[in-house]
Amino acid sequence: MSNQLYRLEEVIQMIEQGKLLMLAGDESQLDQLPDGKWVGGTIPYFMTKDGGMFTEDFIYVNDITDKVTDFEIKHYNANNIDNIVEQSYENGFSFLILPGLTDVWSRYALESPEWEDIYVNPVVGWVSGVKYEDFGKIKPKTYAGNQSFTDQAVVMHAKLPDEKVARVETINVYEQGSGDEIYFDQKGFGNNECVIDGKRFDLYQYLKTNKIDETLPLVANYAGANINVGSIWDKDRQRADLFAPVFPETPYKVAKSRDFDYAREFKCHIAKEPSREHIVFSCNCLFNYVNFGLEGKNIADVSGPVTFGEIAYHVLNLTFVYMVIE
Amino acid sequence: MLPDKTHPEWKYLVKGEKQYALENFVLQLKVNQTAKDIKSGKLSVDKAIDDIYALCLKYRHAVMKDMKKIFNS
């Protein structure tokens, strides 16, 4: 069974056959599914082999029935999301969907990088969302079977055979530019007070005054990994609303300008993956979809949901995330 | 086969004292975490080496290039 978009009736059939599924789709579709061995989240944007696509009429399916030896589906709120690591299998992965802009999303994003055992097993997944026009009007949802939530994360803990291992990687076409180092005193999403060269600035005013392209993320370097923080500028409130958290004692820089061909850049990166044929899940960011005009463009035959945030242990932005089982 | 835990490069790695241009994603994140936690006193160097060694053992194929960079440097 290939990972791709399916019609509602086909997905119902798979669920009734007892398949173990990770699903993404519009609420109108997911709400019609029967209970079963599946988790899901709302989003109507996808990467497909026919190109980037907006659709409210299909459901994206990752079928992992033949990949795992056991599984457990759980849901977590903001008070117990830290249990996710200890409840994973000794060898496996935890597939996580966080409902966007909720307390559980915020707590996971802010605290998970500090959890002692967060890197023992892969935590991979995405942040659910809605049609761009409905942003702020309709709440993103998550599903544990036919039980849906607007305030809880859903997780499929999966156990792998002893001889297999799950590995999570990212493709980030952004890297730090040559501008100022930006520091934040507090970890969080709402921080617009920052320190540059020892002086305090308002982030939005700094970016605006320096004529920074508002589509460029802030980028931190984690021992060689470029970690993006995307933002949407609220010009009425004079704020840059961050979609991933920033952390103290971490220097951020505005990314290098976006004057490259995303598809070409992406193909160079994915070609380096030796286990490309063993990718069992991937997702990309809605910021990339919009900023690089990915609608209708096939990007190296990869597919999956296009999301409000990607999870590769941490909550990321503007990043392609994938997991291989090898 | 990974170098023994007593090899001095493990210490430089977990403390973030040398920039190795690592490529494996989870190793990058883990090194970033151990370096911060050692600096803040939350984690001992020995425990950090144990943790990173276990991670490298799990992903021994995926970290091979990084191991060469670290231990042949």
Side-chain angles (χ1 to χ4, degrees):
Chain A
M1 185 72 66
S2 63
N3 298 326
Q4 62 184 70
L5 288 170
Y6 287 92
R7 283 193 296 274
L8 177 68
E9 305 74 45
E10 295 172 301
V11 182
I12 291 174
Q13 201 174 15
M14 287 181 232
I15 292 170
E16 288 174 346
Q17 287 167 353
K19 302 270 187 195
L20 188 57
L21 308 174
M22 310 187 301
L23 306 177
D26 187 70
E27 179 179 357
S28 62
Q29 301 292 300
L30 298 181
D31 277 349
Q32 295 185 61
L33 294 175
D35 201 11
K37 299 188 288 189
W38 63 278
V39 294
T42 52
I43 200 74
Y45 302 96
F46 306 92
M47 303 172 291
T48 76
K49 286 172 186 169
D50 296 324
M53 184 189 286
F54 166 82
T55 177
E56 294 168 311
D57 301 326
F58 290 86
I59 297 170
Y60 191 87
V61 177
N62 285 102
D63 179 359
I64 58 165
T65 312
D66 300 331
K67 309 284 181 195
V68 310
T69 55
D70 202 359
F71 75 98
E72 193 172 13
I73 293 172
K74 287 190 163 285
H75 50 91
Y76 299 90
N77 59 36
N79 296 322
N80 63 10
I81 185 67
D82 53 326
N83 292 336
I84 184 175
V85 173
E86 68 186 57
Q87 290 177 344
S88 68
Y89 289 95
E90 192 179 336
N91 178 40
F93 63 89
S94 297
F95 180 77
L96 166 65
I97 306 177
L98 293 164
L101 308 174
T102 57
D103 289 346
V104 66
W105 161 77
S106 170
R107 182 167 181 224
Y108 181 86
L110 286 169
E111 295 186 12
S112 61
E114 294 166 0
W115 295 342
E116 187 183 342
D117 293 330
I118 184 71
Y119 306 120
V120 171
N121 270 316
V123 181
V124 66
W126 52 287
V127 178
S128 65
V130 294
K131 184 163 66 173
Y132 193 75
E133 294 83 348
D134 291 335
F135 180 66
K137 298 175 198 160
I138 295 176
K139 288 183 176 176
K141 287 169 80 172
T142 56
Y143 296 75
N146 69 347
Q147 202 179 356
S148 68
F149 308 96
T150 55
D151 60 352
Q152 302 218 25
V154 296
V155 178
M156 184 181 283
H157 295 295
K159 183 181 180 186
L160 291 173
D162 291 343
E163 71 279 11
K164 296 284 185 187
V165 68
R167 173 168 57 85
V168 171
E169 302 286 353
T170 64
I171 293 178
N172 182 4
V173 297
Y174 289 101
E175 56 186 308
Q176 289 187 322
S178 55
D180 294 323
E181 286 192 336
I182 303 169
Y183 286 87
F184 297 88
D185 286 340
Q186 304 288 328
K187 68 178 174 183
F189 292 88
N191 306 7
N192 266 214
E193 188 177 300
C194 57
V195 177
I196 300 164
D197 206 14
K199 294 175 196 146
R200 293 200 174 273
F201 285 88
D202 176 87
L203 179 65
Y204 176 81
Q205 294 301 338
Y206 169 81
L207 297 171
K208 207 175 145 200
T209 306
N210 288 282
K211 298 186 170 56
I212 304 291
D213 176 352
E214 67 180 280
T215 66
L216 291 176
L218 301 179
V219 183
N221 185 325
Y222 283 28
N226 287 319
I227 304 293
N228 301 334
V229 176
S231 66
I232 289 182
W233 290 13
D234 184 334
K235 286 167 187 160
D236 294 335
R237 289 163 58 231
Q238 303 269 296
R239 288 183 49 78
D241 289 323
L242 307 177
F243 270 68
V246 289
F247 294 91
E249 295 173 36
T250 303
Y252 293 83
K253 287 185 172 188
V254 175
K256 269 186 193 166
S257 293
R258 196 160 41 81
D259 52 357
F260 49 81
D261 182 304
Y262 183 83
R264 195 170 354 144
E265 194 81 9
F266 186 94
K267 279 175 193 164
C268 291
H269 283 85
I270 197 85
K272 292 177 195 160
E273 172 53 62
S275 296
R276 196 177 150 190
E277 70 277 18
H278 299 301
I279 293 177
V280 295
F281 168 77
S282 61
C283 64
N284 206 341
C285 183
L286 188 58
F287 281 125
N288 283 341
Y289 184 90
V290 173
N291 295 345
F292 292 105
L294 300 185
E295 187 156 306
K297 280 188 193 165
N298 175 328
I299 306 294
D301 282 344
V302 295
S303 66
V306 174
T307 70
F308 275 38
E310 303 72 63
I311 302 167
Y313 305 92
H314 298 200
V315 172
L316 308 173
N317 290 156
L318 297 104
T319 304
F320 176 81
V321 166
Y322 66 96
M323 179 173 70
V324 296
I325 295 178
E326 55 194 0
Chain B
M1 189 73 175
L2 296 174
D4 191 83
K5 287 183 197 174
T6 56
H7 195 297
E9 291 292 339
W10 285 113
K11 202 174 282 185
Y12 298 132
L13 176 69
V14 301
K15 292 172 86 174
E17 283 180 348
K18 275 194 189 177
Q19 307 300 314
Y20 295 102
L22 302 174
E23 292 182 33
N24 179 261
F25 185 66
V26 68
L27 183 59
Q28 291 169 326
L29 296 185
K30 185 67 188 171
V31 166
N32 189 66
Q33 187 192 49
T34 58
K36 271 189 177 174
D37 288 351
I38 289 169
K39 195 176 165 194
S40 70
K42 188 176 157 189
L43 181 69
S44 72
V45 173
D46 287 347
K47 173 74 166 68
I49 292 173
D50 285 345
D51 290 351
I52 289 209
Y53 190 90
L55 191 74
C56 291
L57 206 55
K58 179 173 180 172
Y59 293 113
R60 52 191 170 278
H61 300 300
V63 301
M64 211 179 285
K65 274 169 80 177
D66 288 334
M67 291 295 106
K68 278 183 187 162
K69 277 184 197 168
I70 296 163
F71 294 99
N72 294 341
S73 60

